[in-house]
Amino acid sequence: MAVVFDRPHALVDIPMHYCPGCTHGIAHRLVAEALDELGIEGRTVGISSVGCSYNNYFYFNCDMIQAPHGRAPAVATGVKRSLPDSIVFTYQGDGDLAAIGTAEIVHAAARGENITVIFINNTIYGMTSGQMAPTTLLNQVTTTTPYGRDPKLHGNPIRVCEMLSTLKGPAYIERVSLHDIKHIKKAKEAVRKAFKVQMAGKGFSLVEILSTCPTNWGMNPLEALDRVKNEMIEYYPLGVFAGEDLEV
Amino acid sequence: MGERLLMKGNEVIAEAAIRAGCRHYFGYPITPQTEIAHYMAKKMPKVGGVFLQAESEVAAINMVYGAASAGKRVMTSSSSPGISLKQEGISYASGSQLPAVVVNIMRGGPGLGGIQPSQSDYFQATKGGGHGDYHMIVLAPSSVQELYELTVDAFNLADQYRMVAMILGDGVLGQMMEVVNFRDEEPIVETDKSWCACGHGMKREHNTITSIHLDPAVLEQWNINLQNKYKTICEKEQRYEIYKCDDAEIIIVAYGSVARIAKNVVQVAREEGIKVGLLRPITLWPFPVKAFEQVMDRAKAFLTVEMSSGQMLEDVMLAVNGRKPVYFTGRMGGMIPRVDDVMAKIKEIMAG
Ligand SMILES: Cc1ncc(C[n+]2csc(CCOP(=O)(O)OP(=O)(O)O)c2C)c(N)n1
Ligand code: SF4
Ligand SMILES: [Mg+2]
């Protein structure tokens, strides 16, 4: 019988710890599929960050390094500069990448560091139980914005793709979403392209993935997917922000 | 015989690192150690190595973390305020058991302090400046020749014990020029690096570099393993110099550039008929407690001299453990103790 659907080799066969309805797991699968399909698992080094995905070194079958909060792009730089033929990716949440790690991501992008960044935007600090993230939408209630995010008090949400695309370093930047099958397929293409950009030595690539956190949003999984579709995409438009015409 | 060159301390550190096989350097400018970066920027491209000016010391130490994870000999250097920023990365590297060399050419603090020499980061270096139960091997050279030799040793020790080794110098050492006798070949210790994250090539299980263990029992065992390693180091790696202590009644304890001043004091005191010797710790961690046993019987008193408010003093007191009186004199803020200052203190002690 022909196998039409299987676990990617790059994904370890153990249960994940993510909450029901969390899209971290889907994002992992997309990364693993890309490693399989491009045949690069053996020369890939992944960098886990600090957030709900802190221990995804258990899930990815490639060599993995756990980095301090926000520092994954600097750790990735150290690896890539040491092993130019390796494929290096970071997997970072929005608190990790856009708050504590802002300097590291901006400068890795500005240097055009030849790495791939998988950026999970769920508009919240998932792991530490639902505090405001730099990406939290206006009026969004979190445990540290109990009356909703007020721009006068808490500032405005950061659009990472738009901000980084003002730099010359990035070769490819795209924002995708995981709220339905069609968009998951597009997300898969983007992740694949990001790795191919790195394989071709073109420079910095980043895929921002709009993701759910049903637990800290106080929603069931379906409501959470609807929130991505109906609220998040409005502020975080999908599309390519750098490298639209890049052929790889 | 190898090359004999007149060189500046900071440049010698950089040259020694390259000779020791270090091909990756990440740093951020700060006085009084910037010549290390200048030297690396010039030399690394010529030897197929990597020099990268990072956006901050935080980024630099994390680049070190990445290169060390990939199995490479790697170094960063800074001075006091920058070393404070590196503490997070040093703690992580210690937790993840990564070999790396960190150079601190100390300047006066706290805060932005000044740019003149100081030894006020002794506590930070030897007692764990970052969080958690960890240690670095801390080497304290006191001449440019020793900057060379101890930098090479630092890479070997870091690899052997899979931990961070620090060169703790000060602005005097970094800036001064002396003749260095280079060896033709360095005594590079090759170690097993099969643990590194460099791509498994589909030939082995995947490797993981991590410092997180959420199960307290596992984390405790991890800590016990670290402590056992530290115990071995305390037994095997203490280094020190004992200078004119055979007949000495007062023993000065000083390290780094202050030990050079102390040698002058020993001379001057002896000319005046006072029997003074010097005990010079070369490893600050592990602290050379063994050296104290060698001089304890004869000594009447110990005098610690530092460019700080008296930080190493605490380790001296622990080593002496009440058996003999321990005195202190020092300067702070970038001021350097003079021979006269130390002589005055010695006479005060003699007067009882
Ligand atoms: C230096 C440091 N500060 C704070 C924390 C606590 N912390 C752990 S995860 C986290 C937030 C992560 O949020 P995000 O990056 O959005 O990831 P998510 O959990 O949402 O996937 C914080 C603040 C830490 N581990 N280290
Ligand atoms: S807390 Fe949120 S982000 Fe974390 S696993 Fe649960 S749903 Fe996912
Ligand atoms: Mg988040």
Side-chain angles (χ1 to χ4, degrees):
Chain A
M1 208 166 60
V3 176
V4 290
F5 189 80
D6 205 356
R7 175 179 290 274
H9 186 271
L11 210 54
V12 179
D13 191 4
I14 52 168
M16 289 184 182
H17 70 289
Y18 300 112
C19 308
C22 176
T23 45
H24 262 305
I26 299 175
H28 284 41
R29 184 172 173 108
L30 299 186
V31 171
E33 284 178 352
L35 299 188
D36 271 26
E37 289 166 18
L38 300 170
I40 52 176
E41 181 198 314
R43 61 181 173 118
T44 295
V45 179
I47 320 290
S48 312
S49 61
V50 174
C52 279
S53 58
Y54 78 95
N55 66 351
N56 61 10
Y57 50 76
F58 287 132
Y59 308 146
F60 290 115
N61 236 333
C62 54
D63 279 0
M64 296 292 294
I65 301 169
Q66 206 291 320
H69 199 15
R71 318 299 177 216
V75 174
T77 299
V79 176
K80 189 72 185 191
R81 297 288 182 123
S82 300
L83 306 165
D85 295 331
S86 63
I87 299 296
V88 181
F89 75 91
T90 72
Y91 186 104
Q92 302 175 258
D94 41 2
D96 191 86
L97 181 142
I100 195 167
T102 317
E104 285 78 11
I105 193 66
V106 167
H107 287 274
R111 287 191 301 268
E113 214 61 61
N114 194 27
I115 60 172
T116 298
V117 175
I118 306 297
F119 169 40
I120 305 296
N121 179 356
N122 57 10
T123 74
I124 204 140
Y125 283 20
M127 189 187 200
T128 41
S129 66
Q131 296 83 7
M132 181 185 74
T135 44
T136 291
L137 294 175
L138 292 183
N139 300 317
Q140 185 179 334
V141 171
T142 71
T143 48
T144 50
T145 55
Y147 309 109
R149 182 173 189 169
D150 175 352
K152 285 203 207 78
L153 293 175
H154 314 114
N156 287 283
I158 295 177
R159 293 185 177 110
V160 168
C161 291
E162 287 82 342
M163 182 174 79
L164 294 182
S165 63
T166 64
L167 300 168
K168 268 198 164 326
Y172 171 61
I173 296 180
E174 181 163 357
R175 184 183 289 123
V176 296
S177 170
L178 299 179
H179 68 272
D180 62 22
I181 306 285
K182 188 179 121 208
H183 285 87
I184 291 172
K185 282 190 167 158
K186 278 207 86 172
K188 175 173 174 167
E189 281 317 303
V191 170
R192 244 177 88 102
K193 181 164 176 184
F195 279 107
K196 283 172 80 176
V197 166
Q198 183 181 166
M199 289 166 75
K202 301 277 184 204
F204 185 85
S205 55
L206 178 146
V207 181
E208 173 173 342
I209 302 179
L210 301 186
S211 197
T212 60
C213 178
T215 303
N216 289 298
W217 294 355
M219 294 179 178
N220 70 35
L222 286 178
E223 289 166 349
L225 292 173
D226 281 344
R227 177 178 182 261
V228 176
K229 181 178 162 198
N230 300 325
E231 294 177 40
M232 281 173 69
I233 292 178
E234 194 183 326
Y235 190 83
Y236 297 114
L238 307 182
V240 179
F241 293 85
E244 180 117 52
D245 309 324
L246 192 68
E247 292 291 329
V248 281
Chain B
M1 256 280 279
E3 270 178 302
R4 217 174 123 77
L5 297 171
L6 179 68
M7 284 179 79
K8 201 176 199 176
N10 282 332
E11 294 180 341
V12 166
I13 296 172
E15 176 63 27
I18 292 171
R19 284 172 185 255
C22 168
R23 291 292 177 275
H24 298 84
Y25 172 89
F26 305 94
Y28 186 87
I30 184 169
T31 308
Q33 61 76 52
T34 310
E35 293 88 354
I36 300 177
H38 297 177
Y39 196 90
M40 288 300 198
K42 256 195 220 153
K43 271 282 179 87
M44 278 301 194
K46 309 267 185 223
V47 295
V50 172
F51 164 83
L52 198 155
Q53 179 171 332
E55 60 270 28
S56 69
E57 288 86 351
V58 174
I61 191 71
N62 280 286
M63 291 171 185
V64 166
Y65 190 91
S69 298
K72 302 298 180 185
R73 285 198 157 184
V74 56
M75 182 170 97
T76 185
S77 64
S78 188
S79 178
S80 310
I83 295 294
S84 290
L85 279 181
K86 291 188 197 291
Q87 294 305 324
E88 176 196 54
I90 291 172
S91 167
Y92 274 71
S94 304
S96 299
Q97 302 210 70
L98 291 176
V101 174
V102 176
V103 179
N104 181 5
I105 301 298
M106 292 178 281
R107 56 189 251 180
L112 202 45
I115 59 170
Q116 298 302 323
S118 171
Q119 295 180 323
S120 51
D121 302 345
Y122 180 93
F123 282 152
Q124 187 196 49
T126 60
K127 311 290 175 194
H131 59 285
D133 268 324
Y134 76 91
H135 281 290
M136 296 183 288
I137 292 173
V138 183
L139 301 168
S142 93
S143 66
V144 175
Q145 180 69 31
E146 230 177 31
L147 280 176
Y148 158 52
E149 290 168 13
L150 292 182
T151 301
V152 174
D153 291 350
F155 280 97
N156 284 335
L157 290 165
D159 271 356
Q160 266 174 281
Y161 292 106
R162 283 186 63 181
M163 63 190 282
V164 180
M166 174 173 273
I167 298 290
L168 192 69
D170 59 63
V172 175
L173 286 169
Q175 297 299 321
M176 77 180 172
M177 291 187 82
E178 279 183 331
V179 170
V180 188
N181 292 304
F182 287 104
R183 293 173 282 233
D184 282 331
E185 215 176 298
E186 300 305 332
I188 292 175
V189 179
E190 300 289 344
T191 57
D192 167 48
K193 293 219 169 167
S194 59
W195 48 265
C196 77
C198 53
H200 54 53
M202 311 307 271
K203 293 196 186 91
R204 56 161 167 79
E205 293 287 291
H206 71 153
N207 282 344
T208 298
I209 307 291
T210 186
S211 64
I212 183 167
H213 307 280
L214 285 186
D215 178 342
V218 173
L219 183 56
E220 184 183 49
Q221 191 53 52
W222 187 263
N223 268 281
I224 290 170
N225 296 348
L226 285 179
Q227 293 303 321
N228 286 340
K229 171 166 87 175
Y230 298 153
K231 253 183 230 142
T232 308
I233 295 168
C234 286
E235 276 157 25
K236 288 170 68 175
E237 305 295 349
Q238 293 182 26
R239 297 194 199 181
Y240 48 87
E241 179 191 356
I242 289 178
Y243 178 73
K244 297 201 172 163
C245 286
D246 284 350
D247 60 346
E249 297 181 340
I250 293 186
I251 294 181
I252 299 177
V253 188
Y255 70 96
S257 57
V258 177
R260 298 166 71 109
I261 300 164
K263 279 193 180 168
N264 289 343
V265 173
V266 169
Q267 227 43 59
V268 172
R270 282 176 180 270
E271 278 159 24
E272 293 188 23
I274 313 171
K275 287 179 182 144
V276 176
L278 168 68
L279 191 165
R280 177 171 75 91
I282 296 173
T283 51
L284 299 180
W285 197 91
F287 193 69
V289 287
K290 288 178 186 169
F292 287 82
E293 299 314 315
Q294 291 182 31
V295 300
M296 190 59 66
D297 288 348
R298 192 162 200 111
K300 290 215 169 98
F302 290 87
L303 170 60
T304 308
V305 187
E306 295 175 63
M307 289 193 286
S308 78
S309 63
Q311 298 193 9
M312 181 177 67
L313 171 64
E314 294 190 4
D315 282 333
V316 173
M317 290 174 100
L318 282 171
V320 174
N321 200 12
R323 287 175 286 180
K324 298 286 160 72
V326 178
Y327 299 90
F328 173 76
T329 185
R331 300 294 298 268
M332 291 179 284
M335 299 299 286
I336 299 170
R338 293 174 313 157
V339 172
D340 288 353
D341 300 335
V342 184
M343 279 304 296
K345 187 73 190 177
I346 287 171
K347 285 176 184 162
E348 193 187 306
I349 296 168
M350 297 295 287

